[in-house]
Amino acid sequence: MPAGLWRLVELSRQGADWANKALKRLEEIARARGFSDLLEEYLKPAMEAETADPRGLVVEDAERGIRAVVKDVRVIQEGGRPRVVVEYEVNGRVESFSFIWGVTTKEVVTASVKLNDERALVLAALTGDKTIRGKRGIMRLYAKHLFALAKYRGVGWELLRWYAEVMKE
């Protein structure tokens, strides 16, 4: 179901009048039947998809003396799986890290990323997950992180399409 709703949102944002009307009608029905919160939950990732530009995002950790500027976030397809590449500048040098999304045998969407203080700071800012700050070593990311990253331009629809495909929704 989310994949169809996400496609409607995507078409509506591209200017398809019929898709916009369909979304409005769905919202009316959901409000009338008392499940508008559920519809909003399903629509949220698509409504936020590609609405923010991560380039130029400044993140700081005064305690550790780190100041990083996000240069780019992009998706590269590898064997049918999306690899998210994050580039940032810290202390005048450009660094990058990446992680590839996959699905476990229990149909859980995950990615593993190797963190240091800088990467953790940048990833925490990009995902909005403050618990990532200061972590080191291998960390597992989940669908909530994928949805948080989907708001970034050039990343969002790629991640959402892949998610919908692998979850067969």
Side-chain angles (χ1 to χ4, degrees), residues 88-146:
Y88 62 97
E89 183 177 330
V90 62
N91 299 327
R93 68 184 195 286
V94 176
E95 299 284 339
S96 70
F97 65 97
S98 67
F99 47 93
I100 191 163
W101 290 97
V103 181
T104 67
T105 55
K106 295 181 181 177
E107 295 189 16
V108 176
V109 170
T110 67
S112 292
V113 60
K114 187 174 182 178
L115 297 176
N116 60 23
D117 290 336
E118 295 170 1
R119 291 175 177 181
L121 180 65
V122 170
L123 190 59
L126 290 172
T127 61
D129 185 348
K130 292 176 179 38
T131 64
I132 296 174
R133 281 181 77 131
K135 293 217 174 181
R136 291 183 177 181
I138 305 294
M139 180 178 174
R140 188 163 304 282
L141 303 175
Y142 296 97
K144 71 177 185 175
H145 299 109
L146 180 141

